């Protein structure tokens, strides 16, 4: 729910050295303006986060009690301080950029992200030349379980160096590409920030355990791009722990982001290597207006695809990759959260071509309650797992959200007449067949 409370301070020590996209800014505390189609949370204090957790627990219970194989959606900004997510995101993005920079220096600039492999020897030399680490220091980084066994380091190996489990907390210096200066990558988290992360993970843990008990899957909603790297990373940690036997935790990928395909492919590959079940919800994205305005205001590259067509392409490309993975391993699961008929038809066609049967329950469909019933009903009747997303909360806070959804989906108003006609025809058909309340055949 959009909660009111004091805005967290937007002054960050060393803010000038921060990457522009990850700086706190004036409107940062309350991020509700310009968000058309998603609920946003306003951080007040830790007690409020505990209240949110209790609300999410009730939602999990309700979902478990009302349907088999239920889903419950949670937002991480409701479970901790957004400022922490911002800082953690910055670290992850700088770390990944540094990998790309190294790859470019080894002549691999044009390759797909998963095909970039750094030669460990060359990498160690580069780190020594840059004054980041001596060869002796960096050598033990690359001798973990799989690191450098093949003499190369790919993005997943690289990411595991700042994995919370390997605890590489040495203050790494990385070159800032704009200034050419070395600067600390891991701005040391204060004790309080450390606690904030622990509390956030504890709350996620409580929710995941309850969801497992109740047979409910937990969908972690996507949020603004400047929080997303941290949200995805924390969600991955949960997937590693809870998705051993089946997909309980679902991450969300926003296909209006230019980097969506890279994010999906890297995470799927990680699940393959570690042997857990990959679960995802694919959406187009809810924060376009706000993202663009912020990028222009602060002065960094717009993270969003330039056109709706490009976003459609991205959605279908990501979806196709996951469907291929389902065919290949039967360990991936996807919720197609879309009101777009073409996307639904595309999914059905690809499922048929790849031999994925609806009864396997690897592919789910989701639409908002009260919207797109002309898509939802036929899918359900054809035996596909289909879900209605139910917004909940105090009326005065849910109504603005619903009115924004109506505004966002103005195009559907034209289709509403068609939907009404279809429903009316079905009522008449059932009346004539004497089966008004029976199942449709």
């Amino acid at each position: 729910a959009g909660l009111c409370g004091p805005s967290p301070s937007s002054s960050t020590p060393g803010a000038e050295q921060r990457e522009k996209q990850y700086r706190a800014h004036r409107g940062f505390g309350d991020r509700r303006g310009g968000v058309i189609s998603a609920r946003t949370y306003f951080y007040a204090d830790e007690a409020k986060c505990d209240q949110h957790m209790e609300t999410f627990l009730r939602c999990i219970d309700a979902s478990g009690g009302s349907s088999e194989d239920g889903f419950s959606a949670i937002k991480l900004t409701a479970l901790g301080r957004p400022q922490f997510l911002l800082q953690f995101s910055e670290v992850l993005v700088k770390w990944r950029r540094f990998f790309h920079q190294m790859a470019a220096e080894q002549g691999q600039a044009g390759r797909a992200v998963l095909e970039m492999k750094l030669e460990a020897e060359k990498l160690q030399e580069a780190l020594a030349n840059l004054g980041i680490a001596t060869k002796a220091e960096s050598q033990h980084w690359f001798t973990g379980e799989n690191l450098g066994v093949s003499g190369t380091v790919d993005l997943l190996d690289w990411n595991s160096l700042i994995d919370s489990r390997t605890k590489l907390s040495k203050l790494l210096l990385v070159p800032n590409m704009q200034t050419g200066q070395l600067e600390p990558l891991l701005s040391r988290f204060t004790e309080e920030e450390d606690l904030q992360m622990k509390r956030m993970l504890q709350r996620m843990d409580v929710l995941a355990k309850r969801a497992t008990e109740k047979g409910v899957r937990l969908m972690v909603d996507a949020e603004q791009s400047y929080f997303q790297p941290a949200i995805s990373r924390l969600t991955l940690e949960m997937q590693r722990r809870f998705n051993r036997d089946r997909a309980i935790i679902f991450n969300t990928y926003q296909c209006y982001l230019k980097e969506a395909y890279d994010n999906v492919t890297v995470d799927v590959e990680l699940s393959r290597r570690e042997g857990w079940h990959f679960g995802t919800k694919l959406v187009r994205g809810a924060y376009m207006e706000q993202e663009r305005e912020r990028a222009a205001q602060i002065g960094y590259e717009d993270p969003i695809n330039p056109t709706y067509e490009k976003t459609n392409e991205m959605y279908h490309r990501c979806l196709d990759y996951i469907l291929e993975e389902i065919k290949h391993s039967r360990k991936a699961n996807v919720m197609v959260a879309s009101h777009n008929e073409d996307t639904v038809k595309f999914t059905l066609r690809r499922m048929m071509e790849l031999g994925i049967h609806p009864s396997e329950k690897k592919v789910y469909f989701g639409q908002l309650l009260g919207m797109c019933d002309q898509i939802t009903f036929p899918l359900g009747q054809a035996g596909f797992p289909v879900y209605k997303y139910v917004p909940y909360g105090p009326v005065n806070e849910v109504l603005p959200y619903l009115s924004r959804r109506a505004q966002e989906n103005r195009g559907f108003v034209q289709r509403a007449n068609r939907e009404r006609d279809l429903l009316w025809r079905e009522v008449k058909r059932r009346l004539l067949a004497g089966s008004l309340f029976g199942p449709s055949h």
Side-chain angles (χ1 to χ4, degrees):
L3 291 157
C4 292
S7 163
S9 153
S10 63
S11 66
T12 315
E16 282 322 298
Q17 286 82 55
R18 318 271 324 249
E19 296 269 323
K20 287 182 175 176
Q21 189 172 358
Y22 302 97
R23 280 185 206 166
H25 68 298
R26 192 173 43 80
F28 178 71
D30 187 345
R31 300 171 317 286
R32 290 172 289 182
V35 177
I36 286 177
S37 54
R39 301 290 299 283
T40 52
Y41 288 85
F42 191 24
Y43 178 82
D45 55 33
E46 292 293 325
K48 271 279 185 260
C49 294
D50 286 333
Q51 279 177 26
H52 291 150
M53 184 183 75
E54 291 301 328
T55 303
F56 289 151
L57 285 170
R58 288 203 298 277
C59 179
I60 291 167
D61 292 346
S63 183
S66 61
S67 63
E68 262 182 61
D69 290 333
F71 276 95
S72 185
I74 64 168
K75 269 199 159 73
L76 285 206
T77 50
L79 296 176
R81 192 163 180 236
Q83 184 97 358
F84 162 73
L85 291 170
L86 195 74
Q87 284 169 298
F88 190 29
S89 290
E90 181 186 25
V91 166
L92 293 169
V93 166
K94 273 186 174 178
W95 188 238
R96 192 163 167 164
R97 265 190 212 152
F98 187 36
F99 173 86
H100 283 284
Q101 188 191 0
M102 291 293 188
E105 283 177 14
Q106 290 192 17
Q108 302 188 35
R111 290 195 191 176
V113 77
L114 275 173
E115 283 164 22
M116 290 181 176
K117 294 193 189 325
L118 307 182
E119 286 180 39
E121 278 288 314
K122 280 189 190 169
L123 179 59
Q124 287 170 337
E125 274 166 36
L127 293 171
N129 292 342
L130 287 163
I132 290 169
T134 65
K135 247 184 158 183
E137 283 173 322
S138 65
Q139 235 148 4
H140 77 270
W141 298 352
F142 302 108
T143 52
E145 265 169 68
N146 305 313
L147 287 189
V149 173
S150 57
T152 61
V153 177
D154 69 6
L155 185 63
L156 293 177
D157 299 328
W158 181 254
N159 282 347
S160 73
L161 290 175
I162 53 165
D163 193 301
S164 65
R165 295 168 307 166
T166 52
K167 298 270 186 294
L168 179 75
S169 58
K170 178 177 155 51
L171 193 63
L172 277 177
L173 294 166
V174 297
N176 176 324
M177 286 172 272
Q178 277 74 43
T179 63
Q181 298 295 304
L182 288 178
E183 56 184 47
L185 167 76
L186 296 168
S187 41
R188 285 243 187 262
F189 283 156
T190 63
E191 221 169 303
E192 179 50 32
E193 282 163 347
D194 248 3
L195 283 171
Q196 279 171 356
M197 176 164 184
K198 284 196 181 92
R199 289 189 205 114
M200 194 181 267
L201 284 166
Q202 280 163 355
R203 291 182 188 110
M204 286 177 85
D205 201 58
V206 168
L207 295 172
K209 282 180 176 147
R210 178 75 64 92
T212 308
E213 275 166 35
K214 301 281 179 181
V216 170
R217 270 77 50 92
L218 214 52
M219 290 191 302
V220 181
D221 274 344
E223 305 194 46
Q224 288 90 337
S225 65
Y226 34 96
F227 298 129
Q228 199 51 46
I231 290 171
S232 283
R233 186 56 177 268
L234 295 172
T235 306
L236 272 180
E237 288 297 326
M238 302 301 285
Q239 288 181 310
R240 283 171 154 155
R241 289 175 49 204
F242 291 92
N243 287 9
R244 287 270 151 224
D245 305 317
R246 64 195 200 100
I248 298 278
I249 310 290
F250 277 59
N251 204 351
T252 305
Y253 297 88
Q254 301 177 98
C255 295
Y256 69 178
L257 292 178
K258 292 171 184 169
E259 58 174 37
Y261 184 76
D262 279 354
N263 293 341
V264 168
T265 54
V266 166
D267 292 353
V268 167
E269 174 61 23
L270 185 68
S271 72
R272 268 186 215 144
R273 286 189 195 179
E274 298 186 340
W276 42 268
H277 289 249
F278 180 80
T280 180
K281 177 173 76 159
L282 282 185
V283 299
R284 277 176 169 75
Y287 304 96
M288 185 164 78
E289 191 185 317
Q290 199 186 36
E291 289 277 11
R292 292 211 155 127
E293 196 181 306
R294 187 177 191 271
Q297 194 184 344
I298 300 180
Y300 56 87
E301 190 199 338
D302 182 354
I304 296 196
N305 283 320
T307 63
Y308 186 72
E309 288 66 43
K310 281 266 181 266
T311 292
N312 272 349
E313 268 171 46
M314 180 66 89
Y315 194 106
H316 290 179
R317 198 175 160 214
C318 292
L319 178 54
D320 210 38
Y321 186 87
I322 296 164
L323 292 173
E324 290 274 2
E325 179 62 16
I326 293 172
K327 181 196 175 186
H328 162 74
S329 76
R330 289 308 198 255
K331 269 189 156 183
N333 305 258
V334 61
M335 172 171 276
V336 180
S338 176
H339 294 148
N340 185 303
E341 283 183 40
D342 294 334
T343 294
V344 172
K345 284 176 185 158
F346 171 86
T347 313
L348 299 178
R349 193 186 78 237
R350 291 297 288 138
M351 283 177 75
M352 215 163 65
E353 289 167 4
L354 294 166
I356 302 166
H357 197 270
S359 65
E360 291 180 59
K361 295 190 174 169
K362 295 289 179 196
V363 182
Y364 314 90
F365 295 87
Q367 285 90 38
L368 258 175
L369 183 68
M371 280 180 62
C372 273
D373 288 346
Q374 83 276 12
I375 292 178
T376 313
F377 290 156
L379 279 173
Q381 285 169 344
F384 290 90
V386 62
Y387 291 80
K388 284 308 223 187
Y389 195 93
V390 185
Y392 60 87
V395 171
N396 61 331
E397 286 170 5
V398 175
L399 277 178
Y401 162 80
L402 291 172
S403 68
R404 290 195 302 263
R405 288 314 300 240
Q407 175 194 342
E408 180 203 24
N409 290 290
R410 274 191 298 248
F412 289 118
V413 174
Q414 283 95 38
R415 288 193 213 168
N417 294 331
R418 178 175 153 221
E419 187 172 337
R420 193 190 55 204
D421 294 342
L422 287 170
L423 290 168
W424 184 233
R425 202 182 313 160
E426 176 66 5
V427 168
K428 284 199 285 199
R429 193 193 66 72
R430 289 192 188 189
L431 277 171
L432 291 171
S435 65
L436 183 59
F437 299 109
S440 163
H441 297 293

